[in-house]
Amino acid sequence: MLKLQIPKNRMNYLIERMQHDFELAELTQGWEYYHKGRVAGIELVHGVEIHALVNGTRSYEVILDMDRFEKSECSCPYEGCCKHMAAVIFTLYASFARPELLLAQLKQAIMVKNRQQLTRTGTAKPEKKQERLEAPKAEQMPSVWHRFFDQQFYGYSLSQQHSIELFYSTAQESLLPLADSWNEDLRPLFQLHVLLFVMRKIEQFYSDTKTSYMSYYIETGCKAVAKQCMEQFSALVPKLHMKELARRHTAALDDTLAMLGEAALSGKDSPLDWLLAYRSIWWRLAEFPERIAKEKKRLQLLSSKTGLLPRRRDALLVAQAHFDVIEGEDDRARSLLEELSKREARDTFLYLNRCYEDQQWDRMLTWLRWMLPAMQRAQQDELRTFCTYWMEAVSRQPDDGEWVEVMIALLPRTYYFYTAYLLKANRFKAWVDLQLANRVSPVNLYAMDLKTVESHDPSLLLPLYHQAVERCIEEKNRNAYKTAIKLLKKLHAYYKKLNRLNTWEEYVYRLATRYSRLRALQEELRKGKWIP
């Protein structure tokens, strides 16, 4: 295996360039060159250039620039991206996964891109026009757009983790330009449906590979791309012209809401937060009470059915609670959410964010208090979000007593949030007590934090250093004793600064006497000139 392994982001960049800059023939021949072991002398130069020799009819020198790929070159006579450059990239990729799988995925992506170009330019073969759907039109329903999307990516399969990222970029690059000439009301809606198509396919990939030997890698890739999709969705929703869509494109909006409702209310296991997408769209429709009343009635009808699976029932409860929140009935919403078989902290983050944007601090605190029991088992990123919102809310309150109680109740998971807050609030005694309670050594604390406390009152740090010295000695090994001596040196500086050298001398005397049988420690104390 190649010893040189470039960073993943560099590898992803090279894969992207393979998709855009290489012809299929060069990629296929490049893989054959790699497979036959014709790449030699590969090395990294200046941190951004890959230099290699590729043996063809003669030896050719290849230089790949990983910052600006257009500066890459090969000494062969071929103009453009050649098979020798492809062979080097396949060789680099071998450190990550199987190059033949990458080749198959690139072939799929390039064929989809070519098919899209033929559709847009109208140069497709006549016999294919009757078999293939035409490019989407503004007057068509979104469900028709999706049939076209599905046809363009029919048979698209995953072979390795990177292929999910490749699908994500290929789908958007090939489909989004189809609506470039549309009006500003429908173009954002089309962009949303391209994203919904990508999300739907990712969920399909996630489900289809559950029993595959590649399931771990595919699931990891799906979750990573799903996170990108949700971030993109959140950025795209505010761009939708809801009033114009509701007035001029009612059928298209209804079709969109139906698709989101089907995905969000199914209760399926998914790497995507479809409920967040569903609720975000409906919140933008708060000015249309007739629509909301109709959707609420539909949700009640679905919830009244018997034999609902727990996940589907939970999805319906979250959706119903959301409409209560839209109407300002938070208490009624929380009553519904308490009926969930499994309360998830992430289900309420949408409301915390809305409270933050509208500066409704009391409303935010009410939600935070209600969420507290669920935070004991929340994931660390969810806990981080919870603490961040509470820090925003507490800064608008007359005192921080409740916040401190919450942080203490959730220790040790809230250690980093609590310790940062105590320093920010100049509560240095409480900060030191927290470090003592968690048995944190000064060696593991930021020097700037220690200096901040020292500038306020050096005496506060004495017990922290005393505890650390004792813990080092208890380890009973030479390295720990040396660390103890370094800590003693700092302790001496504090005692000197406080004009308490008599206390220091008594402390060192007692320490040496107490551990007189530890010969190695005694030697280190003498080296430090703390005892004669």
Side-chain angles (χ1 to χ4, degrees):
M1 181 177 289
L2 179 69
K3 292 183 179 180
L4 173 65
Q5 183 170 355
I6 63 175
K8 183 181 177 182
N9 63 320
R10 298 284 193 188
M11 191 68 247
N12 288 342
Y13 173 68
L14 293 178
I15 293 173
E16 182 181 348
R17 296 323 327 148
M18 293 178 91
Q19 179 187 342
H20 289 282
D21 301 343
F22 286 78
E23 297 294 333
L24 274 178
E26 276 60 49
L27 289 176
T28 303
Q29 291 176 322
W31 180 85
E32 290 176 356
Y33 271 40
Y34 152 75
H35 186 62
K36 293 177 180 178
R38 294 190 176 185
V39 179
I42 193 165
E43 60 181 4
L44 180 64
V45 179
H46 305 309
V48 295
E49 288 186 359
I50 297 292
H51 289 211
L53 291 176
V54 181
N55 298 314
T57 52
R58 65 180 183 84
S59 291
Y60 296 103
E61 183 179 356
V62 173
I63 299 177
L64 300 179
D65 192 305
M66 296 186 290
D67 266 350
R68 297 178 59 188
F69 192 76
E70 64 273 14
K71 294 171 63 179
S72 301
E73 57 183 350
C74 178
S75 60
C76 76
Y78 185 85
E79 293 184 4
C81 296
C82 65
K83 58 189 176 183
H84 308 109
M85 296 165 68
V88 175
I89 300 177
F90 280 124
T91 304
L92 292 170
Y93 185 77
S95 299
F96 294 87
R98 296 165 60 188
E100 61 269 24
L101 299 180
L102 175 61
L103 175 64
Q105 202 66 38
L106 286 168
K107 284 182 177 180
Q108 282 188 324
I110 292 172
M111 285 190 290
V112 166
K113 184 178 68 174
N114 292 341
R115 202 156 53 210
Q116 281 293 326
Q117 290 174 347
L118 290 174
T119 302
R120 287 199 296 271
T121 58
T123 56
K125 295 180 181 179
E127 64 271 19
K128 293 292 183 181
K129 285 187 176 179
Q130 294 181 352
E131 299 176 11
R132 303 198 64 80
L133 294 172
E134 295 182 357
K137 294 181 175 59
E139 61 271 16
Q140 291 175 326
M141 295 285 283
S143 55
V144 178
W145 302 344
H146 279 261
R147 285 202 292 273
F148 175 83
F149 301 159
D150 283 324
Q151 189 180 72
Q152 296 303 301
F153 285 85
Y154 177 76
Y156 197 102
S157 61
L158 300 180
S159 53
Q160 30 77 29
Q161 184 174 347
H162 295 288
S163 61
I164 302 166
E165 299 166 357
L166 196 59
F167 167 76
Y168 173 78
S169 60
T170 301
Q172 300 202 63
E173 288 171 4
S174 61
L175 297 175
L176 288 176
L178 298 176
D180 283 348
S181 61
W182 294 14
N183 66 51
E184 62 180 13
D185 294 339
L186 276 175
R187 192 163 56 246
L189 183 66
F190 182 82
Q191 294 170 353
L192 178 73
H193 277 279
V194 170
L195 180 60
L196 291 177
F197 164 70
V198 173
M199 292 165 64
R200 183 163 55 81
K201 292 295 287 184
I202 288 172
E203 185 175 72
Q204 179 186 328
F205 295 150
Y206 181 81
S207 176
D208 291 348
T209 57
K210 281 287 187 181
T211 58
S212 168
Y213 75 98
M214 292 286 290
S215 62
Y216 171 78
Y217 301 101
I218 300 300
E219 286 181 23
T220 301
C222 284
K223 288 177 181 178
V225 176
K227 184 177 180 181
Q228 289 179 264
C229 287
M230 295 310 302
E231 291 171 355
Q232 188 178 346
F233 187 93
S234 298
L236 187 56
V237 167
K239 298 178 183 178
L240 294 174
H241 306 288
M242 286 300 189
K243 290 183 179 179
E244 290 299 314
L245 289 173
R247 184 172 65 88
R248 299 174 56 189
H249 307 285
T250 304
L253 180 58
D254 288 341
D255 205 14
T256 302
L257 294 173
M259 288 184 194
L260 274 172
E262 183 181 353
L265 305 177
S266 66
K268 292 190 299 184
D269 179 29
S270 173
L272 293 144
D273 194 344
W274 286 106
L275 270 171
L276 176 60
Y278 169 88
R279 291 181 296 160
S280 298
I281 290 289
W282 272 105
W283 212 327
R284 295 291 309 283
L285 292 167
E287 298 178 14
F288 299 90
E290 292 182 0
R291 280 184 171 275
I292 288 180
K294 184 178 179 181
E295 181 68 4
K296 287 178 64 177
K297 186 176 181 180
R298 187 175 79 91
L299 292 174
Q300 290 172 356
L301 182 62
L302 292 172
S303 299
S304 64
K305 294 182 178 179
T306 58
L308 290 175
L309 295 175
R311 291 177 66 95
R312 180 166 170 76
R313 178 179 173 276
D314 284 355
L316 290 168
L317 283 172
V318 171
Q320 288 176 293
H322 180 62
F323 288 100
D324 288 334
V325 174
I326 290 177
E327 295 171 354
E329 298 292 340
D330 289 7
D331 289 338
R332 192 164 65 196
R334 284 188 284 269
S335 296
L336 279 174
L337 294 174
E338 285 174 358
E339 296 179 25
L340 293 172
S341 60
K342 184 180 180 182
R343 283 169 57 181
E344 297 285 356
R346 65 179 183 177
D347 290 335
T348 55
F349 289 155
L350 180 64
Y351 310 135
L352 295 179
N353 186 62
R354 189 61 175 260
C355 291
Y356 174 78
E357 291 176 349
D358 296 342
Q359 298 188 9
Q360 298 175 325
W361 309 116
D362 290 337
R363 189 182 187 188
M364 180 189 284
L365 274 174
T366 305
W367 275 106
L368 289 166
R369 291 171 184 137
W370 180 80
M371 289 170 62
L372 184 57
M375 299 314 299
Q376 296 286 357
R377 56 177 179 79
Q379 297 179 7
Q380 194 62 25
D381 59 335
E382 295 175 337
L383 181 65
R384 186 183 302 110
T385 303
F386 173 83
C387 292
T388 301
Y389 278 117
W390 203 311
M391 285 183 73
E392 289 292 340
V394 78
S395 64
R396 277 83 178 180
Q397 300 301 309
D399 64 74
D400 62 356
E402 184 179 10
W403 154 261
V404 170
E405 289 177 4
V406 169
M407 291 298 99
I408 293 175
L410 294 175
L411 283 172
R413 298 185 65 195
T414 54
Y415 167 80
Y416 291 104
F417 305 103
Y418 187 32
T419 192
Y421 176 77
L422 290 175
L423 281 177
K424 184 178 179 181
N426 295 330
R427 298 178 62 174
F428 302 118
K429 176 66 167 59
W431 181 85
V432 172
D433 289 342
L434 178 63
Q435 313 312 321
L436 288 169
N438 285 276
R439 298 173 66 82
V440 179
S441 170
V443 174
N444 298 322
L445 293 170
Y446 289 115
M448 189 60 67
D449 292 348
L450 292 168
K451 287 181 180 179
T452 301
V453 179
E454 179 184 345
S455 63
H456 174 73
D457 184 0
S459 65
L460 293 176
L461 293 172
L462 296 180
L464 187 62
Y465 278 85
H466 280 297
Q467 183 194 68
V469 169
E470 293 288 344
R471 289 179 59 203
C472 286
I473 294 174
E474 287 172 2
E475 292 184 29
K476 296 183 179 180
N477 64 72
R478 180 74 69 169
N479 288 334
Y481 295 154
K482 290 181 178 179
T483 302
I485 299 303
K486 292 179 182 178
L487 293 169
L488 285 171
K489 185 177 180 180
K490 192 65 178 178
L491 255 179
H492 176 259
Y494 287 147
Y495 275 109
K496 186 176 181 180
K497 190 173 184 177
L498 293 165
N499 293 318
R500 294 170 57 184
L501 286 177
N502 289 337
T503 305
W504 160 257
E505 290 174 359
E506 291 177 6
Y507 164 69
V508 172
Y509 174 77
R510 290 197 305 271
L511 186 73
T513 304
R514 181 180 173 188
Y515 296 107
S516 59
R517 293 191 176 186
L518 300 178
R519 187 176 61 183
L521 174 62
Q522 296 293 319
E523 291 175 0
E524 294 299 328
L525 287 171
R526 291 190 186 94
K527 288 180 183 179
K529 298 182 179 179
W530 301 123
I531 60 174

